[in-house]
Amino acid sequence: MSSFQRLPSQGGHGANANANASTNANASYNAAVYAAYTPVLTAPSTNANGAGSPNRISIDTTNNPFLAAFVSHCRAFYDMAVPAADKTALQTFFTLFDGALIVSADAAGRTGISASSTGNLSISSSRPQQQQQQQQQQQQQQQAISSVRLQLSAIPRSLSDRDKDALFAIMQSAGFAADGTMHRPSDYPRYRQLKDQLRVEAHRIGEAARRSHLQHRIAASAPNDLISPSDRLTAIRDFCTRFASDMGAYAFILGLALWLRTQSRHNASNVDWILDDAVLVEGSLALPDAAVHLMITVLGCSVSPGSADGTRRWTLPPSLSAADLARLELRVHFSSARLLSTQTWTQRLGDWFWIAASWLTHLVS
């Protein structure tokens, strides 16, 4: 989420002493807040049940070593903490697990065979094919699982012998026999529930770590007052070129172009960019560092502390004139990233015409 807010300035952008004093005061306030901030990165817990980690869900695996091992495998997989040598085996195991064959029996003793929710097999001898999906789900919930088996025929033939050995070791530790049969089939619903919960947990912890890293990066950054206008243009061009193929960066690049345009057209006001941290942390891993470097070090922006809703206010420095802003926007508009993210040639030509006319107007004036 991002938006813009115009803050009136009596002397124009960069021309009023009061505006400069306000900017300096805000920068000092922000520096004080950031100096007192210590980022906290949560490391994956080494305990299967998550004990000792406040960000981990507590899982009771007492008297169930199979479940404890399965939880450990899930956390290693979703935390991306598994060694590279074992990554293929672990990924193959969860592919087989998601497509496991389930044999169940209802209260009347009728049996049915079905695949798990992500499988592609659905065979049942006890239910008419015309039943509604909701009724089928209700009946499946009432059935007791009597057997669960991994489809070992789905193991890729290209899997190396080492990865196969690692795969069968994972299966054995998680409660599956060499033929893929689960030792405790009644635990299968619990396995699936925990797998979903641990995936959500890993995403939540990962996002918190990325936000903490972004906060730390902002706190450690400072404007470079010695950067030349030409170097500034080169930096913004290189940034757009670097992330031209990154879909996650498009929202930021488009917002940046619109922000520069809005500020250059409203030179009598300070235009704050209210930007959600999610725009940066949900993209590629390299985007937060590069974006913060561009915004603070290169452009010299000031930024407020993060609010409760995850947004921050970014403000361009008063030293950038309308002509400077127009030239910067021109570099963004003619970048490969801006072209790829624009849908039609009509929009592209319209954007180019406006920015060229705006730039020439500022140049003449």
Side-chain angles (χ1 to χ4, degrees):
M1 181 189 73
S2 65
S3 60
F4 302 100
Q5 183 174 1
R6 294 172 54 189
L7 301 179
S9 176
Q10 296 177 355
H13 183 70
N16 185 272
N18 292 333
N20 290 333
S22 176
T23 301
N24 294 333
N26 289 336
S28 300
Y29 170 75
N30 294 342
V33 172
Y34 292 144
Y37 176 81
T38 303
V40 178
L41 297 178
T42 304
S45 173
T46 55
N47 298 329
N49 62 358
S53 176
N55 293 324
R56 296 290 193 182
I57 59 176
S58 179
I59 302 174
D60 184 10
T61 58
T62 306
N63 300 325
N64 194 338
F66 293 149
L67 183 61
F70 181 78
V71 169
S72 178
H73 292 320
C74 285
R75 284 201 162 120
F77 182 68
Y78 289 127
D79 291 342
M80 294 183 290
V82 60
D86 299 329
K87 184 177 181 179
T88 301
L90 198 57
Q91 185 174 5
T92 304
F93 168 73
F94 283 113
T95 300
L96 298 176
F97 177 82
D98 290 338
L101 291 176
I102 305 171
V103 178
S104 56
D106 58 17
R110 296 173 295 182
T111 61
I113 302 176
S114 64
S116 59
S117 59
T118 56
N120 55 11
L121 176 65
S122 180
I123 305 174
S124 177
S125 61
S126 62
R127 293 186 293 272
Q129 295 182 355
Q130 301 299 325
Q131 284 183 324
Q132 299 294 328
Q133 182 178 4
Q134 183 176 2
Q135 295 176 348
Q136 290 178 350
Q137 293 176 351
Q138 292 176 352
Q139 290 182 2
Q140 289 175 357
Q141 292 175 357
Q142 295 174 356
Q143 292 175 343
I145 297 177
S146 59
S147 176
V148 175
R149 181 167 56 85
L150 304 181
Q151 302 183 69
L152 301 185
S153 60
I155 297 177
R157 295 183 178 180
S158 59
L159 202 66
S160 66
D161 292 339
R162 184 195 178 284
D163 288 334
K164 288 181 180 178
D165 292 339
L167 170 63
F168 283 102
I170 293 172
M171 289 170 49
Q172 182 179 7
S173 65
F176 292 87
D179 62 352
T181 303
M182 189 174 186
H183 294 307
R184 299 182 181 181
S186 60
D187 289 344
Y188 183 76
R190 178 62 172 158
Y191 273 49
R192 290 202 61 85
Q193 180 185 25
L194 286 176
K195 181 173 178 288
D196 293 339
Q197 291 178 350
L198 293 172
R199 182 179 67 252
V200 173
E201 173 193 82
H203 290 170
R204 173 174 49 81
I205 293 178
E207 181 180 0
R210 291 191 297 272
R211 287 180 179 271
S212 178
H213 174 76
L214 175 64
Q215 176 84 335
H216 178 66
R217 189 71 175 84
I218 291 174
S221 299
N224 181 6
D225 297 331
L226 301 178
I227 189 170
S228 65
S230 60
D231 290 340
R232 191 179 292 115
L233 292 173
T234 301
I236 199 169
R237 181 200 62 193
D238 293 344
F239 175 87
C240 294
T241 302
R242 177 183 179 184
F243 293 97
S245 59
D246 185 356
M247 291 293 293
Y250 283 177
F252 175 78
I253 292 175
L254 292 176
L256 176 62
L258 181 58
W259 186 31
L260 294 171
R261 173 189 298 184
T262 306
Q263 182 63 82
S264 65
R265 295 180 66 181
H266 300 280
N267 197 33
S269 304
N270 290 327
V271 180
D272 284 354
W273 185 7
I274 303 176
L275 181 64
D276 195 322
D277 286 351
V279 174
L280 299 177
V281 301
E282 295 299 333
S284 65
L285 297 178
L287 179 59
D289 287 352
V292 169
H293 174 77
L294 176 67
M295 297 277 279
I296 297 181
T297 305
V298 176
L299 296 181
C301 298
S302 59
V303 55
S304 69
S307 61
D309 60 357
T311 61
R312 301 176 191 271
R313 288 177 175 268
W314 296 80
T315 306
L316 287 163
S319 57
L320 291 178
S321 65
D324 293 333
L325 296 169
R327 294 189 185 96
L328 290 169
E329 185 194 359
L330 188 64
R331 288 300 177 99
V332 178
H333 269 280
F334 276 98
S335 68
S336 54
R338 181 65 175 85
L339 295 179
L340 289 174
S341 60
T342 305
Q343 296 181 352
T344 66
W345 275 103
T346 302
Q347 292 175 330
R348 296 177 188 177
L349 293 174
D351 288 341
W352 291 349
F353 174 79
W354 184 94
I355 189 61
S358 176
W359 179 64
L360 290 174
T361 300
H362 290 299
L363 187 62
V364 172
S365 59

